[in-house]
Amino acid sequence: MRAAVAGATGRTGSEVVTELRERGHDALALSREPTDDQRDIGDLAAVLDESDSDALIDFTVPEATVHHATVAAEAGVPLVIGTTGFDEDGLAALTDAAREIPVLRASNFARGVHALREIVQAGVEALPDYDIELTETHHSGKRDAPSGTARTLLDDIDAARGERGERLDRTHGREGKHERDPAEIGVHVRRAGNVRGEHEVLLAGNDELLTLTHRAESRRVFAAGAVDAAEAVAGRPAGEYEFTEVV
Ligand SMILES: NC(=O)c1ccc[n+]([C@@H]2O[C@H](COP(=O)([O-])OP(=O)(O)OC[C@H]3O[C@@H](n4cnc5c(N)ncnc54)[C@H](OP(=O)(O)O)[C@@H]3O)[C@@H](O)[C@H]2O)c1
């Protein structure tokens, strides 16, 4: 496989380039300020056209990814998106691109997080009246908060509680003099150092406490999942794909 990587100089994109090469794939590293072994991301259309790439893997920023999606759709190149923090217009643009090419977007490419999602849903269903709090921690350079994974977990919890017609109010941090509302879910964001990504869901009630935690120990786990995704969508028909379809 030959894959182009947008964000190849970044914390995660650089790991994607390494993962591709270690698996024996060709990796085209794209950057806004390319070195000798990189290509200029500004020439993305030409690079995709010349290189006959099987996929574009993108770990950049939402506004750049939306543009790259348009270019990939015009070039007919499948797109794997790790970038998080899209607004509704951005998500709609990705859906448009998926009419022309396969698009696989995941807020977290770690297999353990997908297992965590299922375990959290099972826990929420099994413990319907327990208080739920969600805490996530990431490195100080992360731009979006809460993380894309935290938002995904919150949606999963809503879906699990939704079967009883409930949707919890999301309380982002707490201050002041209020008791906890049983109809709320506390969401806590920490940004510090070089933390790769930690997510914890706490369920408490009935004099007991259940904590479900995922901790990424290196960014390689995200890179490996993104390359799995690229291998899986290359050559598939246009449409939106879920990471759970490939793991
Ligand atoms: N889905 C997952 O599993 C997962 C895992 C980790 C991170 N992420 C997400 O992936 C994204 C990147 O995270 P990161 O920690 O790797 O970020 P990072 O280290 O800041 O890297 C960002 C990369 O994006 C490029 N970039 C920034 N603005 C750009 C623009 N306007 N046009 C083109 N390229 C641009 C930068 O390239 P230059 O060298 O040109 O500046 C850099 O290579 C974030 O949204 C993060 O939340 C997702």
Side-chain angles (χ1 to χ4, degrees), residues 7 9-16 139-142 194 219:
T9 58
R11 280 174 283 251
T12 320
S14 56
E15 297 281 353
V16 172
H139 57 90
S140 50
K142 186 165 177 63
N194 192 26
R219 291 191 177 86

Side-chain angles (χ1 to χ4, degrees), residues 27-119:
L28 283 169
L30 297 156
S31 169
R32 289 181 295 180
E33 290 181 21
T35 54
D36 288 348
D37 59 347
Q38 296 170 342
R39 298 292 305 270
D40 189 338
I41 189 88
D43 298 333
L44 180 61
V47 171
L48 292 180
D49 191 40
E50 288 163 20
S51 63
D52 197 21
S53 289
D54 299 297
L56 171 64
I57 303 176
D58 194 316
F59 280 86
T60 58
V61 292
E63 53 277 21
T65 301
V66 165
H67 172 61
H68 301 158
T70 312
V71 176
E74 280 170 11
V77 174
L79 178 61
V80 170
I81 300 170
T83 310
T84 59
F86 294 96
D87 59 17
E88 283 185 17
D89 288 347
L91 292 174
L94 301 182
T95 300
D96 282 348
R99 291 186 229 289
E100 309 297 329
I101 52 169
V103 175
L104 191 155
R105 181 176 66 85
S107 59
N108 198 309
F109 278 107
R111 287 164 191 256
V113 161
H114 291 271
L116 175 71
R117 291 181 59 187
E118 292 187 13
I119 295 164

Side-chain angles (χ1 to χ4, degrees), residues 41 50 103 108 141 147 168 184 186 206 213 220-221 227:
I41 189 88
E50 288 163 20
V103 175
N108 198 309
S147 68
L168 297 170
E184 74 183 9
N206 189 35
T213 306
R220 199 61 180 271
V221 69
V227 174

